[in-house]
């Protein structure tokens, strides 16, 4: 059974870079059948799609965050990562990683989410 | 970006009630729409995919309908475990976008 687990610092100072890793267990990130996605949710608010990485390194980012976001993959570690630069208090959120179907097409086999990790931006 | 507008933003209902939540897209998304349930402190859980197909393991009291720009999630008989926040998600165009959520509370 595939599981995803986010990890990284829970506190980041303003203007610094937020870095999170999602470790995939029970399956291979290199299968080619999935996009590996980051989503965030500010406390008490709705969900925002950040972007995805494919196993070959192809990415797509939300234009609202594109200038500050980098999503990368490490197939040797079965992990993918999120970096968000120049953070402010507005970037305080629960960050989720997720496994989506390739091309965000056929969801008949469902979607898998990590449990989420809260990152607070504060000095 | 495609804007997804959910209504209502919150509702109060009793166990056994029929509940309907609507999601409207600012432009057509075909049937590339899913519905999610989120409980406090938990990740969202998929309920419906392709606008009207039930995810595996989801109770049949949940149903979805619609295509294009207007979609509906219906809970036919609300159960205690259904009190949660519900989101729609369009995955037709980048960036993917969620509705703002509908909180279903106990009356």
């Amino acid at each position: 059974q595939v599981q995803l687990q986010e990890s990284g610092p829970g506190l980041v100072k303003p203007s610094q870079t937020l870095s999170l890793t999602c470790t995939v267990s029970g399956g291979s990130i290199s299968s080619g059948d999935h996009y590996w996605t980051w989503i965030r949710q500010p406390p008490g608010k709705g969900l925002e799609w950040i972007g995805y990485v494919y196993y070959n390194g192809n990415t797509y980012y939300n234009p609202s965050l594109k200038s500050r976001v980098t999503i990368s993959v490490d197939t040797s570690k079965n992990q993918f990562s999120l970096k968000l630069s120049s953070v402010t208090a507005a970037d305080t959120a629960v960050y989720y990683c997720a496994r989506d179907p390739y091309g965000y097409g056929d969801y008949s086999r469902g979607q898998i989410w990590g449990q989420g990790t809260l990152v607070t931006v504060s000095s | 970006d495609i804007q997804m507008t959910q209504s209502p933003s919150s509702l109060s209902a009793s166990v056994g009630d029929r509940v309907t939540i609507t999601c409207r897209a600012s432009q057509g998304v075909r049937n590339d729409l899913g519905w999610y349930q989120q409980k406090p402190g938990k990740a969202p859980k998929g309920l419906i995919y392709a606008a009207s197909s039930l995810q595996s393991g989801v109770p049949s009291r949940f149903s979805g309908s619609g295509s294009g720009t207007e979609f509906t999630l219906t809970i036919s008989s609300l159960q205690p475990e259904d009190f949660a926040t519900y989101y729609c998600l369009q995955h037709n165009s980048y960036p993917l976008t969620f509705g703002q959520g509908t909180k279903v509370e106990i009356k």
Side-chain angles (χ1 to χ4, degrees), chain A residues 40 48-49 61-68, chain B residues 1 95:
Chain A
R40 70 178 184 177
E48 181 179 30
W49 181 82
Y61 304 139
N62 192 322
S64 67
L65 297 168
K66 185 177 181 179
S67 63
R68 299 193 292 131
Chain B
D1 298 7

Side-chain angles (χ1 to χ4, degrees), chain A residues 12-18 68 84-89 91 121-122:
Chain A
V12 181
K13 288 181 166 49
S15 79
Q16 293 190 344
T17 296
L18 177 160
R68 299 193 292 131
L84 182 65
S85 64
S86 304
V87 297
T88 69
D91 295 309
V121 179
S122 175

Side-chain angles (χ1 to χ4, degrees), chain B residues 34-37 45-49 53-56 58-59 62 73 75 86:
Chain B
W35 288 98
Y36 294 79
Q37 176 192 69
K45 170 190 171 186
L47 300 174
I48 301 287
Y49 69 95
S53 298
L54 207 61
Q55 285 286 359
S56 176
V58 173
F62 291 93
L73 173 70
I75 309 172
Y86 293 84

Side-chain angles (χ1 to χ4, degrees), chain A residues 35 39 41 45-49 52 60 62-63 96 100 103-111 113-115, chain B residues 1 32 36 38 41-46 49-50 55-56 87 89 91-92 94-101:
Chain A
Y35 281 174
I39 294 160
Q41 184 173 37
K45 296 188 178 180
L47 297 155
E48 181 179 30
W49 181 82
Y52 79 84
Y60 193 98
N62 192 322
Y96 295 100
D100 284 280
Y104 295 106
D106 180 7
Y107 277 84
S108 61
R109 295 188 178 183
Q111 180 189 35
W113 293 64
Q115 64 184 29
Chain B
D1 298 7
D32 296 328
Y36 294 79
Q38 187 179 32
K42 299 293 187 182
K45 170 190 171 186
Y49 69 95
Q55 285 286 359
S56 176
Y87 294 94
L89 166 68
H91 53 93
N92 177 263
Y94 293 123
L96 276 63
T97 45
F98 291 89
Q100 78 275 23

Side-chain angles (χ1 to χ4, degrees), chain A residues 104-105, chain B residues 25 27-33 50-51 66-71 91-92:
Chain A
Y104 295 106
Chain B
Q27 57 188 274
V29 299
R30 303 187 304 180
N31 71 335
D32 296 328
L33 182 116
S67 182
T69 62
E70 188 150 338
F71 302 88
H91 53 93
N92 177 263

